[in-house]
Amino acid sequence: MVSPLVGFAGTPVYPAGQIALPITMGEERSEITRMIDFIVVDCPSAYNAILGRTTLNKIGAIISTYHLMIKFPTSEGVACVRGDQKAARECYVTSLRGANITMNIESLDTRDEEKLQHGEPIEELVEELLEPRQPGKIVRIGTGLSTAAKLNIDPTVRPVKQKKITIALKQNEAAAKEVDKLIQAGSIREILYPD
């Protein structure tokens, strides 16, 4: 391969070569192995390898970035590989900094499933006051978030609550029926938000 790869910054990177490696995904009894062609580049990255669309299509993978999960068919049924939100965030932050740090891909599935199912934070949080005149209004921010990535807002501007949008009666009834069906099916549940 002679043509360069172009990254997000627009700078070309010329490949050092290409290699075919056997990749095994999944766990024992529910795994697949495929020969995958990798393009080798001399480029600092927090990632050991990046799987592209052709690889994902080759294994028949379905990805949910929201759930950090890949599902794919095997001879024993559908296999599932989960990612680690904390490790993914660390890789992302490392790549933004441009640091030459390599993370071990085998250590990615170490999250505590019990904590995540109950909505507990995966990192320490600090409380920040939103409005000095109202001490009850706070926001919790992860300590892993860099100062540069935090929201930069003008403290002199007051927050504004958006107006309620009304929907025609017929459309409102149709939407309510669909919501009821989804609640009964267990697909969704009601969540109450503070004003």
Side-chain angles (χ1 to χ4, degrees), residues 65-87:
T65 54
Y66 181 79
H67 298 98
L68 284 178
M69 184 186 304
I70 299 176
K71 287 190 174 187
F72 50 91
T74 69
S75 58
E76 298 295 319
V78 177
C80 174
V81 175
R82 295 177 187 272
D84 180 357
Q85 191 176 31
K86 188 174 182 180

Side-chain angles (χ1 to χ4, degrees), residues 89-188:
R89 186 179 292 123
E90 287 173 8
C91 280
Y92 178 69
V93 170
T94 301
S95 66
L96 288 178
R97 282 192 215 128
N100 191 5
I101 298 171
T102 304
M103 301 186 74
N104 187 357
I105 200 164
E106 293 172 6
S107 67
L108 290 181
D109 201 13
T110 57
R111 65 185 178 165
D112 185 359
E113 292 291 330
E114 182 77 20
K115 279 186 177 179
L116 290 177
Q117 286 178 355
H118 294 292
E120 292 184 25
I122 60 169
E123 63 181 316
E124 188 179 334
L125 301 176
V126 292
E127 291 185 354
E128 294 286 335
L129 193 60
L130 284 177
E131 197 169 328
R133 291 173 281 154
Q134 296 179 346
K137 289 191 174 183
I138 59 167
V139 65
R140 292 178 184 89
I141 302 173
T143 55
L145 188 64
S146 68
T147 307
K150 289 180 184 176
L151 184 61
N152 187 10
I153 58 170
D154 185 353
T156 62
V157 177
R158 281 190 34 228
V160 177
K161 185 175 180 179
Q162 293 182 348
K163 293 180 182 178
K164 184 179 176 182
I165 298 173
T166 56
I167 301 174
L169 184 61
K170 199 172 189 179
Q171 285 87 356
N172 198 14
E173 288 173 357
K177 284 180 184 176
E178 289 299 315
V179 168
D180 287 339
K181 285 180 190 176
L182 292 171
I183 289 173
Q184 289 173 2
S187 297
I188 62 171

Side-chain angles (χ1 to χ4, degrees), residues 52-69:
R53 285 188 302 248
T54 53
T55 301
L56 299 172
N57 289 340
K58 196 172 192 176
I59 63 173
I62 296 176
I63 298 176
S64 172
T65 54
Y66 181 79
H67 298 98
L68 284 178
M69 184 186 304

Side-chain angles (χ1 to χ4, degrees), residues 18-55:
Q18 189 170 337
I19 187 169
L21 296 171
I23 299 297
T24 301
M25 292 183 71
E27 296 176 356
E28 193 176 341
R29 293 182 145 226
S30 181
E31 64 184 21
I32 59 168
T33 301
R34 298 282 188 271
M35 288 299 290
I36 304 297
D37 294 325
F38 287 94
I39 298 170
V40 180
V41 293
D42 183 13
C43 181
S45 174
Y47 305 97
N48 295 325
I50 298 173
L51 302 179
R53 285 188 302 248
T54 53
T55 301

